[in-house]
């Protein structure tokens, strides 16, 4: 029996030492007692450097709780779950790892855990790139309609829970963009849209969502407002930045815009309703004046 046990142990060790995954045996405090040779390739550390140290110290702070829940469930009757977490490598870089955990001895007072970590950085990067492409405008890099509607749904749910929380939707359309696009060419028209997107980013807080719906239509979602005055203040700031001449190669262009604003009152239940009324307000503003700046608040008929 002892010979058979040694044979199995050698076989498992041979498997661990020849797999591309990082295999660890750790205590309940995550202290490493064994690390497979893949550690050198995946983390840039020799196995010896991990021994006696807590592997959780390598996990990025934002992922620490997920790793603890996935690797060391409080109730031993629960099966450890898979977790995808980031670990810091020896050179300071981070990598994404898909982890699997298994308790080795159920009856011991000092249990050991078998962790298997697989580098999935390329997969996570590809998934994030695909998600970005699905939710962002390829020309300007701004969020697109899909992401805007998702954020609007979240904002509407928050308003239902906290009726005093106010948000606003600002629908913006560039006046005479077709004339500019036709006279200067589509390449400069595209460059102008990119510059407008850059102006929006520079004029708004990082927490404010600015989107491009298509063509020369942009939408800004303003959350956690005190009321209409605050929304108008933001719109005027954007307008001031847009009023500055934009240089496109050897051409100087001044952008004119019309804007419509909708506040989040109780009658709105769907994102499309907010966008519809903000669009109506914008077109009323566009028809109402030929001045550089026009902004109207939508009111129901």
């Amino acid at each position: 029996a002892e010979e058979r046990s040694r044979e199995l142990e050698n076989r498992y060790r041979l498997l661990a030492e020849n797999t591309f995954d990082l295999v660890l045996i750790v205590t309940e405090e995550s202290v490493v007692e064994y690390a497979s040779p893949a550690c050198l390739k995946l983390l840039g550390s020799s196995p010896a450097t991990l021994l006696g140290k807590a592997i959780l110290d390598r996990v990025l702070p934002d992922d620490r709780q997920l790793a603890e829940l996935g690797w060391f469930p409080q109730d031993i009757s629960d099966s450890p779950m898979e977790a995808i977490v980031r670990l810091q490598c020896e050179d300071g870089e981070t990598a994404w790892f898909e982890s699997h955990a298994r308790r080795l001895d159920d009856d011991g007072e000092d249990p050991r855990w078998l962790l298997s970590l697989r580098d999935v950085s390329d997969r996570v990067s590809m998934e994030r790139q695909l998600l970005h492409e699905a939710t962002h405008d390829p020309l300007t890099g701004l969020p697109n309609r899909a992401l805007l509607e998702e954020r609007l749904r979240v904002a509407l749910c928050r308003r239902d829970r906290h009726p005093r929380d106010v948000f606003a939707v600002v629908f913006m359309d560039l006046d005479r963009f077709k004339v500019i696009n036709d006279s200067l060419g589509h390449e400069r028209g595209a460059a102008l849209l990119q510059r407008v997107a850059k102006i929006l980013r520079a004029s708004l807080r990082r927490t404010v969502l600015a989107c491009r719906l298509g063509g020369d239509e942009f939408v800004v979602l303003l959350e956690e407002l005190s009321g209409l005055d605050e929304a108008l203040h933001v719109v005027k700031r954007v307008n001031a930045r847009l009023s500055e001449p934009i240089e496109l190669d050897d051409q100087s262009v001044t952008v004119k815009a019309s804007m419509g604003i909708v506040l989040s009152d109780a009658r709105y239940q769907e994102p499309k309703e907010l966008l519809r009324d903000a669009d109506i307000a914008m077109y009323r503003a566009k028809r109402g004046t030929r001045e550089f700046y026009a902004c109207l608040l939508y009111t129901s008929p």
Side-chain angles (χ1 to χ4, degrees), residues 172-177 193 196 216 218 255-257 286:
M172 186 179 81
D173 181 87
L174 303 182
D175 297 338
R176 301 177 62 251
F177 174 75
L193 293 174
V196 170
D216 60 334
F218 297 84
V255 178
K256 298 183 178 182
K286 188 183 289 287

Side-chain angles (χ1 to χ4, degrees), residues 158-200:
R158 187 184 301 115
R159 180 213 58 190
D160 291 341
R161 294 195 303 269
H162 307 284
R164 292 188 177 183
D165 286 357
V166 178
F167 70 87
V169 175
V170 181
F171 202 109
M172 186 179 81
D173 181 87
L174 303 182
D175 297 338
R176 301 177 62 251
F177 174 75
K178 186 177 186 304
V179 175
I180 296 174
N181 198 41
D182 292 343
S183 59
L184 298 182
H186 296 296
E187 289 187 5
R188 287 181 178 170
L192 175 60
L193 293 174
Q194 291 172 334
R195 293 293 297 275
V196 170
K198 187 175 181 179
I199 290 171
L200 286 176

Side-chain angles (χ1 to χ4, degrees), residues 9 13 16-17 22-37 39 46-56 72 102 104-105 109-115:
E9 182 179 347
R13 183 178 294 273
E17 292 180 352
L22 172 58
V23 178
L24 303 173
I25 295 178
V26 301
T27 67
E28 202 162 27
E29 290 74 33
S30 85
V31 175
V32 178
E33 294 187 343
Y34 169 80
S36 67
C39 177
S46 66
T49 61
L50 291 187
L51 299 181
K53 298 179 181 177
I55 189 61
L56 279 175
F72 312 110
R102 178 188 174 190
L104 292 179
D105 48 349
E109 294 181 359
D110 191 14
R112 299 294 186 270
W113 297 82
L114 178 68
L115 299 183

